[in-house]
Amino acid sequence: MFDSFKYMFSDKNFIKKYLLVLLFVFIANLFMNWSGVYAPSLNNGKFNILCYLLYIIGFVVMFVPFGYSIEVLRHTLSKDSGSELPNINVAQNFLAGLKVVLSGAVLILALFVVFYLIGFITPFFAAGTFGEVMSSVIYVLSLLILFFTSFFGIVMCCRYVIKPSYLNFVNFKAAIDIVEGNALQYLKSYIATVLLAVVVYGLSIIFVSYLVNIGYKGLVIYAFLVSVIWSYVIFVLAKIFAKAVDVDKI
């Protein structure tokens, strides 16, 4: 797994490509964090369209890094790829990012329906001891659904790169078939991804705890620090994901 943190430096132009990714990630994070200043919870519940407008702008800008991460993953999955990472093509990466977001939206919609149904039936079991037991069962079931979905996220991303489809992220059967026979290696990659996410989010919490009280300057510094980390993590995750699956089975 250590190779996942250093392989990108074999590309002599990596710093240039990294800085371009960082630029878009920073702009996106800056807008999304800026939107929080106008959140109703921080303004006595008052609605301010800037909260949503700024967040949408930032999210749309993030389509470019999303799309570029797909290209990097495709590069790492290819057995014939050399050390040179793909170049950033803003228009092409933007469209690729838009497509993967729409594909992911299908999964989010499916989960919304599932949890809506769970929430709908829960009140029918609310009374008495039986209701408490059923509520616990439903809560555990909800956690299992979230874990099941996240567990197969890696293989779904890899499969999307090879066989892009708007229904890819709800095709659990295909994901299970790919993981079978390579379960141990896949589990290692999943654990590495989770640990990396914990470290990154932990650092984000530390940054925000120190910078939240110094106004807009703190917001900019926080957005930059988080962007520096996430721009690098894009390359790291591509290698971890590639190691998780047998490309020939996709």
Side-chain angles (χ1 to χ4, degrees):
M1 287 296 176
F2 181 70
D3 181 56
S4 301
F5 293 87
K6 65 184 182 66
Y7 80 96
M8 65 286 292
F9 296 106
S10 298
D11 183 347
K12 61 182 180 180
N13 294 314
F14 168 68
I15 298 301
K16 177 181 177 182
K17 295 170 184 177
Y18 169 80
L19 290 176
L20 284 172
V21 174
L22 174 59
L23 175 63
F24 282 98
V25 174
F26 173 62
I27 292 172
N29 274 325
L30 192 60
F31 274 100
M32 288 190 285
N33 290 324
W34 187 11
S35 72
V37 175
Y38 301 98
S41 59
L42 298 179
N43 294 277
N44 299 318
K46 294 181 180 179
F47 170 81
N48 192 325
I49 194 172
L50 281 176
C51 175
Y52 305 96
L53 182 61
L54 291 172
Y55 190 90
I56 291 172
I57 292 173
F59 188 69
V60 170
V61 172
M62 192 65 86
F63 287 177
V64 176
F66 286 162
Y68 183 69
S69 68
I70 294 297
E71 292 301 316
V72 176
L73 180 55
R74 181 177 289 112
H75 169 84
T76 57
L77 284 170
S78 174
K79 295 180 180 179
D80 301 323
S81 63
S83 60
E84 188 171 339
L85 295 164
N87 292 313
I88 295 180
N89 182 313
V90 176
Q92 180 179 318
N93 295 151
F94 179 87
L95 290 175
L98 173 60
K99 290 178 181 178
V100 76
V101 167
L102 292 176
S103 300
V106 176
L107 173 60
I108 293 173
L109 180 61
L111 289 175
F112 174 81
V113 172
V114 169
F115 284 115
Y116 177 81
L117 292 175
I118 291 175
F120 179 76
I121 66 173
T122 298
F124 293 100
F125 304 102
T129 304
F130 177 74
E132 293 178 0
V133 172
M134 286 303 300
S135 296
S136 299
V137 170
I138 291 172
Y139 177 74
V140 172
L141 177 62
S142 300
L143 291 179
L144 287 175
I145 291 172
L146 290 174
F147 170 74
F148 183 82
T149 303
S150 70
F151 183 76
F152 288 102
I154 293 175
V155 66
M156 286 179 171
C157 288
C158 294
R159 189 173 182 274
Y160 177 86
V161 168
I162 305 298
K163 297 179 178 179
S165 165
Y166 288 111
L167 298 178
N168 174 79
F169 292 102
V170 292
N171 192 344
F172 287 96
K173 182 182 183 303
I176 293 172
D177 290 341
I178 295 170
V179 171
E180 284 182 345
N182 194 40
L184 182 58
Q185 181 59 42
Y186 187 84
L187 181 61
K188 290 179 180 178
S189 296
Y190 178 75
I191 293 173
T193 301
V194 171
L195 291 176
L196 183 60
V198 169
V199 171
V200 171
Y201 281 114
L203 288 174
S204 299
I205 292 172
I206 292 173
F207 292 155
V208 76
S209 65
Y210 282 99
L211 298 170
V212 69
N213 295 319
I214 58 176
Y216 284 101
K217 184 185 296 185
L219 185 150
V220 173
I221 296 173
Y222 171 75
F224 178 73
L225 292 175
V226 171
S227 299
V228 167
I229 296 173
W230 273 113
S231 298
Y232 175 61
V233 167
I234 285 175
F235 297 94
V236 176
L237 287 179
K239 197 67 169 181
I240 292 176
F241 284 18
K243 290 177 179 292
V245 299
D246 181 354
V247 181
D248 294 331
K249 293 184 65 176
I250 297 179

